[in-house]
C-alpha cells in the first residue's frame, strides 16, 4: 500500500466520491484553516443548514476541547471535523449522543486500522493508556427543544510530536501503526459508522449503545477519581445510568452518578492524569 503524503491537504473530491451515507457529509464544507470547526458548524446551524452538514479543516487556530480547553491542531496531519445534527430526540435523550459518537469512533478506528481503540468516559479516545482523540458536543436548545447539536471530533492521525506537558499521555494512529495513515478513507469510514450508530440509537434507544459502550470502555470496572470544581470523588466505575451518566461505587458502598458535562477531570488511579 502506498504511504500518504502528510504534507498535502485532504482530497475532498475523493471523500465525496467514496462516501455512502444518507445525510452525514452530503453537504461538506472544507476550510484550509479556520478558528474551530464547532464554531463554523454552529454558525451554519443558526442559518438553517441541513442535518448532517459536515465541516472539515486542515488547521484550527482556536480548536476547542471540553471545559474550555484548547485542542492542539497542527496543519495537514490529523482530522478535525464537526457534524451539524438535528436529532429527533428530546434534550434528555440527546445526552446519549456523546456516547453514541464514542462507540462509532472507537469501532470505526478499530475496524479501519486494526488497533484496539477504547473510550474513557465521557469523551476521550484511547489506545492503550494514551489519548489520541476527543469528542465535543455542543447543544443549542430553544423552548425545551433541540434546535441543533454540533458533534465535534479531533483525532491525532499522523501527528508525531506533542507539547512537552502532554507528550507522555498522547499518541496518534501513525505512532501506534508505525506508518502514516490515509486520512481520506479513514474519514469516510468514520462518517459512515457515525451515521450507522446514530440511526441505531434513534430507532432503538440507548440499550444497544449502552452495551456497546461498556464493551469498549476503558473506564468501567476501574477505580477512578472524578474532579468537580474543588471536590474530588473516588470510586469504582460500575455502570451507566439511564441517561448515560457514570455510576460510581464509593468505598463506603454508596453509589453516586456523574452526569455528562459535570466532569472536569477523570483519571484512573494508575495513570493519575487526564
Amino acid at each position: 500500500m502506498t504511504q500518504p503524503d502528510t504534507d498535502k491537504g485532504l482530497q475532498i473530491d475523493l471523500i465525496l466520491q467514496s462516501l455512502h451515507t444518507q445525510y452525514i457529509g452530503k453537504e461538506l464544507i472544507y476550510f484550509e484553516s479556520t478558528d474551530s470547526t464547532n464554531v463554523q458548524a454552529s454558525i451554519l446551524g443558526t442559518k438553517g443548514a441541513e442535518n448532517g452538514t459536515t465541516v472539515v479543516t486542515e488547521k484550527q487556530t482556536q480548536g476547542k476541547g471540553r471545559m474550555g480547553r484548547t485542542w492542539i491542531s497542527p496543519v495537514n496531519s490529523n482530522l478535525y471535523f464537526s457534524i451539524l445534527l438535528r436529532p429527533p430526540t428530546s434534550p434528555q435523550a440527546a445526552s446519549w449522543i456523546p456516547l453514541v459518537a464514542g462507540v462509532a469512533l472507537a469501532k470505526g478506528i478499530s475496524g479501519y486500522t486494526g488497533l484496539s481503540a477504547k473510550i474513557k468516559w465521557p469523551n476521550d479516545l484511547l489506545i492503550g493508556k494514551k489519548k489520541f482523540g476527543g469528542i465535543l458536543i455542543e447543544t443549542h436548545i430553544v423552548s425545551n427543544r433541540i434546535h441543533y447539536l454540533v458533534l465535534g471530533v479531533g483525532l491525532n492521525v499522523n501527528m508525531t510530536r506533542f507539547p512537552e506537558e502532554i507528550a507522555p499521555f498522547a499518541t496518534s494512529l501513525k505512532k501506534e501503526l508505525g506508518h502514516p495513515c490515509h486520512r481520506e478513507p479513514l474519514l469516510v469510514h468514520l462518517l459512515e459508522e457515525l451515521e450507522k450508530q446514530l440511526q441505531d440509537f434513534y430507532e432503538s434507544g440507548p440499550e444497544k449503545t449502552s452495551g456497546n459502550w461498556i464493551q469498549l470502555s476503558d473506564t468501567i470496572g476501574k477505580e477512578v477519581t472524578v474532579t468537580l470544581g474543588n471536590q474530588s470523588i473516588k470510586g469504582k466505575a460500575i455502570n451507566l445510568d439511564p441517561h448515560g451518566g457514570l455510576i460510581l461505587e464509593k468505598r463506603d458502598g454508596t453509589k453516586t452518578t456523574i452526569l455528562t458535562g459535570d466532569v472536569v477531570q477523570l483519571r484512573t488511579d494508575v495513570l493519575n492524569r487526564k
Side-chain angles (χ1 to χ4, degrees):
M1 184 175 72
T2 59
Q3 299 299 326
D5 185 343
T6 56
D7 292 327
K8 291 185 177 180
L10 287 164
Q11 300 178 59
I12 299 303
D13 287 347
L14 178 61
I15 294 168
L16 292 172
Q17 291 167 9
S18 305
L19 188 64
H20 298 288
T21 55
Q22 294 298 312
Y23 56 94
I24 288 181
K26 288 299 184 181
E27 181 70 21
L28 195 150
I29 311 297
Y30 171 73
F31 294 95
E32 288 187 5
S33 177
T34 190
D35 47 3
S36 159
T37 57
N38 264 36
V39 167
Q40 295 303 318
S42 184
I43 291 171
L44 291 168
T46 62
K47 294 180 177 180
E50 293 186 1
N51 180 45
T53 298
T54 301
V55 178
V56 182
T57 190
E58 291 290 357
K59 178 183 179 181
Q60 296 182 116
T61 58
Q62 299 176 43
K64 299 171 70 174
R66 289 185 70 249
M67 302 297 174
R69 300 184 184 98
T70 299
W71 187 268
I72 298 166
S73 308
V75 68
N76 292 354
S77 298
N78 301 328
L79 286 176
Y80 320 113
F81 61 96
S82 296
I83 304 168
L84 176 70
L85 297 173
R86 301 189 186 275
T89 62
S90 67
Q92 293 75 23
S95 65
W96 277 95
I97 290 181
L99 285 79
V100 174
V103 168
L105 293 167
K107 280 180 170 286
I109 293 291
S110 297
Y112 183 79
T113 67
L115 298 168
S116 180
K118 296 289 185 180
I119 312 164
K120 187 177 79 170
W121 194 90
N123 72 329
D124 288 351
L125 295 164
L126 309 179
I127 297 173
K129 293 296 180 185
K130 293 188 175 184
K131 180 175 176 178
F132 74 94
I135 301 161
L136 177 64
I137 302 286
E138 296 180 298
T139 306
H140 300 257
I141 298 173
V142 177
S143 301
N144 202 35
R145 298 185 65 179
I146 297 176
H147 184 209
Y148 62 88
L149 180 153
V150 175
L151 164 59
V153 178
L155 298 174
N156 298 337
V157 181
N158 291 318
M159 183 179 181
T160 56
R161 296 182 180 180
F162 300 91
E164 183 178 351
E165 64 271 19
I166 66 168
F169 314 101
T171 191
S172 69
L173 299 183
K174 179 179 178 179
K175 288 190 72 173
E176 298 299 323
L177 289 167
H179 59 76
C181 183
H182 289 272
R183 292 185 296 155
E184 290 89 352
L186 173 61
L187 178 58
V188 168
H189 188 74
L190 295 177
L191 295 179
E192 291 176 350
E193 187 65 35
L194 278 161
E195 184 171 284
K196 177 181 182 298
Q197 294 297 329
L198 283 167
Q199 285 305 115
D200 282 351
F201 169 69
Y202 294 154
E203 295 169 7
S204 305
E207 184 174 353
K208 184 177 179 181
T209 296
S210 180
N212 285 335
W213 192 93
I214 289 170
Q215 186 178 27
L216 292 165
S217 173
D218 187 67
T219 303
I220 298 297
K222 302 287 184 66
E223 295 290 332
V224 300
T225 299
V226 180
T227 302
L228 302 166
N230 295 324
Q231 180 185 13
S232 292
I233 302 174
K234 292 185 178 182
K236 185 177 182 179
I238 60 172
N239 208 342
L240 298 175
D241 84 341
H243 304 289
L246 184 67
I247 301 174
L248 296 185
E249 183 176 57
K250 295 188 284 188
R251 291 177 182 177
D252 63 4
T254 60
K255 296 181 177 67
T256 188
T257 299
I258 311 299
L259 300 176
T260 300
D262 290 338
V263 174
V264 174
Q265 189 172 30
L266 174 67
R267 58 188 185 265
T268 65
D269 288 344
V270 175
L271 184 59
N272 201 36
R273 177 152 183 180
K274 182 175 172 66

